[in-house]
Amino acid sequence: MTEAMRLDGIRAGRLGPDDLARNFGDLHPGLDAHEATVAADRCYFCHDAPCIAACPTDIDIPLFIRQIQTGQPEAAAKTIFDQNIMGGMCARVCPVETLCQEACVREAAEGKPVEIGRLQRYATDAMMAAGEHPYARAPDTGRRVAVVGAGPAGLACAHRLAMHGHAVTVYDAQPKPGGLNEYGIAAYKTPDGFAQAEVDWLLKIGGIAIENDKAIGKGLSLSALRSDFDAVFLAVGLGGVGALGLDGEDAAGVENAVDFIAALRQHDDLTTLPIGRHVVVIGGGMTAVDAAVQAKLLGAEVVTIAYRRTRDRMPASRWEQDLAASHGVRLAFGLVPHALHARGGKLREVELAYVNPDMTPTGETVRVRADQLFRAIGQKLEAVEGLDLAGGKIAVTGAGRTSLDDVWAGGDCAAGGEDLTVTAVAEGRDAAEDIHGSLSS
Amino acid sequence: MADLTTDFIGIRSPNPFWLASAPPTDKEYNVRRAFDAGWGGVVWKTLGAEGPPVVNVNGPRYGVIHGADRRVLGINNIELITDRPLQTNLDEIARVKRDYPDRAMIASIMVPCEEEAWKAILPRVEDTGSDGIELNFGCPHGMSERGMGSAVGQVPEYIQMVAEWCKHYTHLPVIVKLTPNITDIRKPARAAKAGGADAVSLINTINSITAVDLDDFAPEPTIDGKGSHGGYCGPAVKPIALSMVSEIARDPETRGMPISGIGGVTTWRDAAEFIALGCGNVQVCTAAMTYGFKVVQEMTAGLSRYMDEKGYASIEDFRGRAVPNVTDWQHLNLNYVTKARIDQDACIKCGRCYAACEDTSHQAVAMSADRTFTVVDEECVACNLCVDVCPVEDCITMERLEAGTTDPRTGRIVQAEPADWTTHPNNPGSPNYVPAGQDTMVSEPAE
């Protein structure tokens, strides 16, 4: 606890550079060779392994772990990348506790799964550190594909298309490629510029051009892309954050969690990044946890996550919840924003209303001090002309086919699938194969 | 409280755990530490003839096989016998024996296969106050190139000859240490007995190369790019040692001959198994080299507790009790029919039983869509592979079919009376033999 942590308002410098460097260091430091061997030895090499079925990209996990065990992490990496070209990022950000590691038979046996995520990182780091890119581009097919969005879905799609020899142009609205990997994930999960390093490594395949600061409605139109390219893959993610619908939402201090997370990722000197003394995060997903934990790590004194439903319905995994709790974040359930109380145009308090499991108000409210409030209540698709929607997202069938026969979509903007990096990679990869099949026929 | 004291061919020791003749017993300092840690006896590092001592390599002497987490499963070595002057060793043996009179002190000896050589060294060993001698006919590396060690142990006539010399020139008990690098271990054991030896000890180390360096293409341990086979020891060799011990223990010609068991003894349980196969004590090396001398404290405490639980007052109460149960395959009961049973509550659904059985055995494990694994009795031959590969202890067990029930695999009723190959109708040597063509071949247990 520093003096600066007790100062009200939103201000920078609550913690010194040493504290901040420690707080934003690697959440899961990489395994060394011996640790990896010991961890790999725990894998039972299950038949028809449940972990593979639990992986959205179907990585042959027992095989890659066995390759680590036999002293060939680079061969293990090849097994991983064959299925998931962003296996390095997924090793860092996948909620393994609800995917492969939850399915691990040793989780059932002793509550201690094989450390698949960390082993995957060990393998992928080994190959990337060696500067090796194990894929070569097929001879140029003369076909051109536009990919809109340089996030996990777009880049996975682009890489697979490039492997097949197609020429790919990837457009992205941001100044840097990477999408949520670059802008949307807690800094401690992917420190040291890993997102950009991964993009650079992925582009070694060749045949992929990236154009930044371009989006549909920002220099691009779907109709123009359709006429200029043989196929279009949309991986535009989700844009707008819904409002709370309360008076005073324009008060200083009421912000979007995704904007806070993005700003933090792009901020070089965290001693100059302002944070409130009292912070309230509205929401219950991974974005809420990422925002809350990072607020605490920046030096906020009291951070509260207010989630409308019961704990077991919280989209953030139990592991994420525990991560938040271990950093001193208060988790509050059955609460919805009721009113915002500002003074002088600045947020001072959030009034929360208790609700029953069926979302009916109990009639009781509570006022919580808040210099800063982060909305983490989900994002919405910014409509794309001429495409059918389903549930507010682009409707797709099969491997990302939209209602237009030369347009595919994947990642968070497409209906179906969880909004996870690994799911986006799978959708991008599968759409690429479908596009390739379509262009080849 | 069990009494761990042993009397092995007249040599008393407070417990049956001796350190084998090996690097840990090469000098006074080590042996004093061993006795202080609780070892019951020591077989001193092998003494050579008077004269310039042997020399050892000045690069790596040991190679290793690791299990998970670098657990040492086996070590091989190319170290020779003691490379210190004979008199130095003799003086140290005498001093240590004087200070630890209750511990067993055995001198291991390897001199050329000439009567004069043995005649010369034996009185000097006797003068140290040693309790006995062990003839090193086992070391497979280095000394064997000079006609000693396993080069002697592989020729029963030499064993008998040298044993006779030793019995002639010393009153000390004689233990012959056998090499496992031989086809039939009973032959050298019989020769030792014929030569008047009081006991045999086995096994010495096994010819081995632990690994090949794939950059230098050199065997390990590597000396300047070359390697020589070493002697393999440690937990990996225990099954080979147990089998060889059992062969001597049940051989009509050597039955009852005292045996000092050697080969991968790492825990009290290993020792108890050697004792159950007839050994009067055990010798240990690799466990000490891996964990230090303190490891004996687990061994003595564990063996004592086991004996208390079983009600055995002394080693003799259970020594050799497994020997009558070691038999030839032809006498195994073919009417003993078991089936694998999977405890669904214990099963963690890894599917290793399925993969093993489906790919490499009898397709007797069924797998459902929800990963429930069950045994197909119609196919199960009770091979035990599923039990062996299951990572959960006691999840899969073998259960015997009661006499009178029908084995779904063969359609035959399980008989209560044992029956074995010697009486099987398919056996040409059986009185019940039914030649082919005269009747259908019977491929299953006799009824």
Side-chain angles (χ1 to χ4, degrees), chain B residues 350-370:
Chain B
C350 68
R352 278 166 48 157
C353 56
Y354 176 83
C357 194
E358 192 72 9
D359 286 351
T360 70
S361 294
H362 299 82
Q363 296 76 49
V365 175
M367 174 179 173
S368 72
D370 71 344

Side-chain angles (χ1 to χ4, degrees), chain A residues 285-298:
Chain A
M286 296 229 279
T287 300
V289 171
D290 282 0
V293 171
Q294 294 193 109
K296 202 81 178 83
L297 295 175
L298 276 175

Side-chain angles (χ1 to χ4, degrees), chain B residues 211-252:
Chain B
V212 176
D213 185 306
L214 292 177
D215 295 317
D216 300 336
F217 291 98
E220 294 180 0
T222 307
I223 302 292
D224 194 21
K226 307 278 187 204
S228 179
H229 74 80
Y232 197 43
C233 57
V237 311
K238 187 185 110 179
I240 297 163
L242 287 176
S243 172
M244 289 188 163
V245 162
S246 76
E247 289 303 303
I248 294 170
R250 75 190 189 95
D251 178 40

Side-chain angles (χ1 to χ4, degrees), chain B residues 195-375:
Chain B
D198 300 278
V200 290
S201 57
L202 70 159
I203 57 173
N204 203 306
T205 55
I206 303 174
N207 286 349
S208 57
I209 290 172
T210 48
V212 176
D213 185 306
L214 292 177
D215 295 317
D216 300 336
F217 291 98
E220 294 180 0
T222 307
I223 302 292
D224 194 21
K226 307 278 187 204
S228 179
H229 74 80
Y232 197 43
C233 57
V237 311
K238 187 185 110 179
I240 297 163
L242 287 176
S243 172
M244 289 188 163
V245 162
S246 76
E247 289 303 303
I248 294 170
R250 75 190 189 95
D251 178 40
E253 293 187 37
T254 53
R255 183 177 294 154
M257 186 179 195
I259 304 172
S260 182
I262 312 170
V265 173
T266 310
T267 68
W268 70 265
R269 185 180 296 275
D270 299 326
E273 290 172 17
F274 276 94
I275 293 166
L277 282 174
C279 294
N281 67 14
V282 293
Q283 297 185 31
V284 178
C285 171
T286 311
M289 290 178 71
T290 306
Y291 304 109
F293 290 144
K294 184 184 173 184
V295 74
V296 73
Q297 290 162 20
E298 179 283 322
M299 297 179 188
T300 51
L303 185 62
S304 177
R305 184 176 180 83
Y306 163 76
M307 289 169 61
D308 286 346
E309 285 171 0
K310 290 287 189 180
Y312 301 139
S314 80
I315 301 292
E316 291 303 312
D317 285 356
F318 73 102
R319 189 174 68 80
R321 286 186 63 161
V323 176
N325 294 327
V326 181
T327 186
D328 294 339
W329 189 96
Q330 62 181 333
H331 299 307
L332 297 177
N333 180 10
L334 296 171
N335 283 339
Y336 177 76
V337 183
T338 66
K339 297 289 177 187
R341 291 287 174 261
I342 301 174
D343 179 347
Q344 297 299 335
D345 292 332
C347 175
I348 61 171
K349 302 185 185 298
C350 68
R352 278 166 48 157
C353 56
Y354 176 83
C357 194
E358 192 72 9
D359 286 351
T360 70
S361 294
H362 299 82
Q363 296 76 49
V365 175
M367 174 179 173
S368 72
D370 71 344
R371 300 184 71 81
T372 299
F373 298 91
T374 48
V375 175

Side-chain angles (χ1 to χ4, degrees), chain A residues 63-412:
Chain A
L63 179 60
F64 94 66
I65 292 179
R66 195 162 180 82
Q67 290 171 307
I68 291 173
Q69 205 179 17
T70 61
Q72 292 195 319
E74 298 86 356
K78 175 72 165 47
T79 299
I80 294 161
F81 290 135
D82 282 349
Q83 290 297 114
N84 181 338
I85 198 63
M86 308 199 90
M89 181 60 80
C90 290
R92 290 161 166 79
V93 304
C94 262
V96 288
E97 64 278 3
T98 64
L99 298 172
C100 53
Q101 290 187 191
E102 183 181 53
C104 177
V105 299
R106 298 199 79 149
E107 171 65 26
E110 61 210 84
K112 198 165 177 283
V114 175
E115 291 185 282
I116 299 167
R118 296 183 79 194
L119 285 165
Q120 179 165 319
R121 174 166 170 185
Y122 175 74
T124 53
D125 280 2
M127 180 177 275
M128 291 173 73
E132 181 183 345
H133 187 92
Y135 305 100
R137 192 178 171 222
D140 195 290
T141 61
R143 311 306 290 268
R144 301 175 65 243
V145 182
V147 171
V148 186
L155 290 171
C157 182
H159 187 272
R160 188 57 66 106
L161 288 168
M163 276 176 68
H164 287 305
H166 306 302
V168 186
T169 303
V170 184
Y171 299 98
D172 195 86
Q174 299 290 338
K176 291 187 199 172
L180 290 180
N181 288 356
E182 177 60 37
Y183 293 96
I185 287 165
Y188 50 76
K189 288 181 181 170
T190 170
D192 306 323
F194 179 78
Q196 287 311 299
E198 183 176 52
V199 173
D200 294 343
W201 175 85
L202 182 147
L203 293 178
K204 287 185 180 181
I205 184 84
I208 303 172
I210 295 200
E211 295 196 21
N212 290 110
D213 296 309
K214 284 189 177 160
I216 290 178
K218 184 179 170 186
L220 301 177
S221 75
L222 183 56
S223 56
L225 289 172
R226 293 178 66 199
S227 61
D228 291 348
F229 291 89
D230 296 304
V232 178
F233 179 65
L234 296 174
V236 298
L238 299 173
V241 178
L244 299 175
L246 300 175
D247 290 341
E249 216 163 325
D250 57 348
V254 180
E255 301 169 30
N256 293 327
V258 290
D259 297 334
F260 167 62
I261 292 168
L264 196 150
R265 279 291 296 279
Q266 302 306 314
H267 212 88
D268 288 333
D269 179 6
L270 294 180
T271 62
T272 64
L273 187 69
I275 191 71
R277 178 182 180 185
H278 294 91
V279 175
V280 172
V281 181
I282 306 296
M286 296 229 279
T287 300
V289 171
D290 282 0
V293 171
Q294 294 193 109
K296 202 81 178 83
L297 295 175
L298 276 175
E301 185 185 353
V302 181
V303 178
T304 305
I305 289 177
Y307 176 57
R308 61 193 172 130
R309 298 187 188 276
T310 51
R311 179 170 201 146
D312 55 308
R313 305 268 313 260
M314 199 171 181
S317 69
R318 179 67 191 223
W319 188 91
E320 293 277 346
Q321 295 170 31
D322 290 347
L323 177 72
S326 73
H327 282 92
V329 172
R330 187 164 67 112
L331 301 173
F333 301 97
L335 288 167
V336 297
H338 183 68
L340 302 173
H341 301 284
R343 198 178 324 132
K346 294 178 179 175
L347 185 67
R348 282 287 171 265
E349 285 185 326
V350 179
E351 189 169 358
L352 300 164
Y354 284 94
V355 292
N356 295 306
D358 65 358
M359 293 295 108
T360 56
T362 66
E364 185 185 359
T365 64
V366 60
R367 288 168 75 126
V368 179
R369 286 178 67 181
D371 310 300
Q372 204 166 16
L373 175 145
F374 293 125
R375 287 177 292 234
I377 52 177
Q379 291 173 270
K380 287 189 282 200
L381 177 69
E382 285 165 354
V384 182
E385 73 218 41
L387 289 175
D388 291 352
L389 300 183
K393 294 186 170 190
I394 298 171
V396 290
T397 55
R401 293 183 176 217
T402 70
S403 52
L404 299 174
D405 65 4
D406 55 352
V407 179
W408 281 255
D412 290 358

